[in-house]
Amino acid sequence: MTNSDRIIVPLDVPDLESAIALLDLLPEVNFWKVGLELFVSSGAEILAILQERQKKSFLDLKFHDIPNTVAGACRSASRYQVDLLTLHATAGRQALRAAKGAISDLLSPPKLLAITVLTSLNARELALDLKIPLELSEYALNLALLGKESGIDGAVCSPQEVAQLRRVCGEDFLLVCPGVRPSWSSKGDQSRVMTPAQALKAGADYLVIGRPITGAEEPKVAWTKICHELADI
């Protein structure tokens, strides 16, 4: 797998037509993320299109509910044959175990990823707004370990926490990092960021890079520039 194959580009667009236009614009991208906005707008049709085009898919719906509901949602989502699927670690141990158990008998289940701390949150918000009495990095690690102990395949974390999670959770634990921004792009609403090269060197398996590519004046140029920056790592 080349480093360009480690880049997941989000289809953060409002409708199916816009998503197809982005796929057509960036045929070199092999891994796409479908989040809440597009899935609520257009349903599973975009996942079928990604399959037809032989692309990998990351269904990022961040399930967070009681164990029975989370388990059922994960099993239902698995029928779309996606590669990655997210649920919140804060749903708790029972929900995480139920989710894993619900798909364990499938022939090709998706890899389940536990959401740790959203990359839009900073330490001040964690302490003052959410009343979490832990350092942000410690809280993210605790949630990742909860996922690992519950049989979840990996975690979604900020690149700023990825080195610690890699060291503690091991090489077989999949780590996917949003909040990745090239040095030449804006941070936007991301609070805890790294460049693509820094994130890979820190131990990330996959990088989610959205607006620096999809929001660029020339998305294909931005994609190529990032790939070149990662070529020698």
Side-chain angles (χ1 to χ4, degrees), residues 3-109:
N3 284 338
S4 62
D5 291 327
R6 298 180 184 275
I7 301 173
I8 302 173
V9 178
L11 286 166
D12 288 341
V13 292
D15 52 55
L16 188 63
E17 293 76 15
S18 300
I20 293 172
L22 200 50
L23 294 178
D24 291 340
L25 184 63
L26 294 167
E28 304 90 347
V29 176
N30 291 318
F31 212 149
W32 294 89
K33 182 172 83 73
V34 176
L36 284 167
E37 182 181 15
L38 181 58
F39 193 81
V40 170
S41 168
S42 62
E45 188 174 352
I46 183 60
L47 300 174
I49 291 170
L50 289 172
Q51 278 192 327
E52 290 169 4
R53 298 190 183 206
Q54 298 182 309
K55 304 295 185 181
K56 298 181 74 174
S57 57
F58 172 13
L59 184 57
D60 185 25
L61 300 183
K62 299 182 176 71
F63 296 137
H64 190 176
D65 213 308
I66 62 172
N68 187 64
T69 300
V70 170
C74 287
R75 190 169 181 91
S76 293
S78 295
R79 72 170 183 258
Y80 301 132
Q81 297 182 302
V82 297
D83 297 279
L84 303 176
L85 180 65
T86 52
L87 65 164
H88 273 283
T90 50
R93 190 182 303 273
Q94 291 184 39
L96 296 174
R97 287 179 172 172
K100 185 65 176 181
I103 65 171
S104 60
D105 62 337
L106 302 180
L107 290 178
S108 299

Side-chain angles (χ1 to χ4, degrees), residues 129-182:
D129 296 341
L130 301 183
K131 310 301 181 186
I132 302 297
L134 296 174
E135 292 293 330
L136 193 151
S137 60
E138 182 183 1
Y139 185 53
L141 176 60
N142 286 349
L143 291 176
L145 284 172
L146 177 63
K148 182 177 174 66
E149 292 164 1
S150 303
I152 301 302
D153 302 289
V156 177
C157 66
S158 157
Q160 293 186 5
E161 287 96 57
V162 73
Q164 182 183 31
L165 267 61
R166 173 63 65 215
R167 184 171 62 254
V168 176
C169 297
E171 293 299 320
D172 295 333
F173 195 63
L174 196 63
L175 295 177
V176 176
C177 292
V180 176
R181 291 289 185 267

